[in-house]
Amino acid sequence: MPRLESCTWSCSCTARGRHKNHLGDTAAGLAAKVGEMLSSSVSSSSLALVGRGARSPSTSSVSSNTSSSSTLNLSQHLVQRSVVLFVVGAFMALVLNLLQIQRNVTLFPEEVISTIFSSAWWVPPCCGTAAAVVGLLYPCIDSHLGEPHKFKREWASVMRCIAVFVGINHASAKLDFANNVQLSLTLAALSLGLWWTFDRSRSGLGLGITIAFVATLITQFLVYNGVYQYTSPDFLYIRSWLPCIFFSGGVTVGNIGRQLAMAVAGKRLESVYQIWPES
């Protein structure tokens, strides 16, 4: 009996020892697996951080270079458009003012007439500056209002608009009516027809009226101070058809500025496609 009990006790102890060893092995294996998972997660996160740190400087440098180059290109295009509008405005002022002088519609002092093209020296720079401001203002107002001008956006339409404007100015100096009121009404109808044919935008109409009002006030001030004068004035110190000329001129220069802005936008899109062909 004592031997049987001792044998039973030894067997139970052996079984318990084996069970404990098996549990220890299982716990050790689980701990090893958890350790491997933690080490792999830490290493992957560190690699990701290193990758981000390696990529972020290059990405930021590329974005900063792209933004600086776009800003430089925008300023260059703005200067180019301003120069083109200034030259166009100065040339049109020389031609149209010469026509007014030859028809004795506009009279300058005798000491002024001996300058270039028998006109005052300050007329081309002032008209060129005004053309640059108006030509840049039209597309700016369009983008601000969120209504881009899409009616007849082509250079052929712009050239026809310039021809009609020159014709209106020529008619103001050449046509003979019974009185200035009839001439003014005729030129007003022609000016509105020019806007309807080549513009048809609310911003173009509003800016044209504003330009006509401001330019008429400035002209009244210049004539009042004796800088030059008009023959047969019927609207205070000037002719009553002069606001119509200013209105049609503003619409014409505005169309030129819009077309230049659209051409610049097309070039910028082409440059972006060349830089990022895959996107």
Side-chain angles (χ1 to χ4, degrees), residues 67-142:
S67 61
S68 60
S69 62
S70 62
T71 304
L72 181 60
N73 292 331
L74 181 61
S75 61
Q76 290 178 353
H77 292 316
L78 189 64
V79 171
Q80 292 175 0
R81 288 161 53 194
S82 302
V83 171
V84 172
L85 290 168
F86 180 86
V87 172
V88 171
F91 179 75
M92 292 177 65
L94 282 174
V95 175
L96 299 179
N97 194 34
L98 178 63
L99 177 64
Q100 298 287 341
I101 293 173
Q102 288 179 351
R103 298 293 297 179
N104 292 325
V105 176
T106 306
L107 299 177
F108 286 92
E110 295 181 356
E111 63 271 10
V112 173
I113 297 300
S114 60
T115 57
I116 183 171
F117 287 106
S118 298
S119 178
W121 65 268
W122 50 267
V123 172
C126 292
C127 294
T129 304
V133 173
V134 172
L136 295 177
L137 189 61
Y138 263 78
C140 181
I141 294 296
D142 292 337

Side-chain angles (χ1 to χ4, degrees), residues 9-10 15 23 35 52 65 78 90 100 152 158 166 168 180 214 249:
W9 183 80
S10 63
L23 290 177
R52 290 178 183 176
N65 291 332
L78 189 64
Q100 298 287 341
K152 292 187 177 181
V158 174
V166 174
I168 291 174
N180 289 328
V214 174

Side-chain angles (χ1 to χ4, degrees), residues 144-155:
H144 180 72
L145 295 177
E147 298 177 357
H149 181 66
K150 299 180 180 179
F151 183 71
K152 292 187 177 181
R153 298 301 301 270
E154 55 185 7
W155 280 112

